[in-house]
């Protein structure tokens, strides 16, 4: 077991009722679960997202915490939140990392695995 480790999983969803394909507006929600799978209590202090649309346009988003919080997780604890992402294409992807600080002051990154945002029926 790693001493400093957060494991991240993401479940995306297309928000059809809030999207307008005729205007190239596609809205997606994603629910993130962050779990402290390490041995030391740590705080998630900031985020770095890389958002890529189907045209290859990349947007990087950096900010403090997640949904206005900087959760402190003891080993085995988890934190879940839902956020959203607008795209101008019906398909895209997101990935990134969370920057974390353990209670002993050690800084480490938790990788957010690549996941796909896709309007139903667009991908086979």
């Amino acid at each position: 077991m790693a001493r400093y480790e957060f494991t991240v999983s993401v479940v995306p969803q297309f928000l059809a009722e809030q999207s307008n394909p005729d205007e190239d507006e596609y809205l997606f929600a994603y629910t993130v679960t962050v779990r402290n799978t390490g041995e030391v209590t740590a705080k998630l202090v900031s985020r770095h997202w890389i958002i890529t649309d189907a045209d290859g346009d990349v947007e990087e988003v950096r900010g403090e915490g997640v949904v206005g919080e900087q959760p402190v997780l003891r080993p085995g604890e988890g934190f879940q939140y839902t956020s959203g992402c607008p795209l101008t294409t019906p398909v895209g992807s997101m990935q990134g990392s969370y920057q974390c600080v353990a209670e002993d002051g050690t800084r480490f990154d938790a990788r957010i695995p690549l996941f796909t945002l896709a309007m139903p029926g667009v991908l086979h």
Side-chain angles (χ1 to χ4, degrees), residues 66-85:
V66 289
V67 293
E69 297 186 47
Q70 291 184 324
V72 175
L73 302 177
R74 294 192 287 274
E77 286 186 335
F79 179 80
Q80 188 175 76
Y81 73 95
T82 299
S83 191
C85 176

Side-chain angles (χ1 to χ4, degrees), residues 54-67:
D55 296 329
D57 293 329
V58 176
E59 179 184 2
E60 293 199 43
V61 178
R62 296 176 188 271
E64 288 191 8
V66 289
V67 293

Side-chain angles (χ1 to χ4, degrees), residues 4-12 30-38 43-49 65-66 71 73 76-83 94-100 108-115:
Y4 309 102
E5 182 177 67
F6 279 8
T7 301
V8 181
S9 61
V10 184
V11 178
Y30 54 92
T31 300
V32 179
T33 303
V34 181
R35 185 161 301 285
N36 185 341
T37 51
K43 178 195 281 193
L44 189 162
V45 294
S46 63
R47 66 189 182 282
H48 174 211
W49 284 105
V66 289
L73 302 177
E77 286 186 335
F79 179 80
Q80 188 175 76
Y81 73 95
T82 299
S83 191
M94 292 178 68
Q95 63 183 318
S97 61
Y98 295 123
Q99 293 67 53
C100 310
F108 64 98
D109 285 352
R111 188 177 72 80
I112 303 166
L114 176 75
F115 60 96

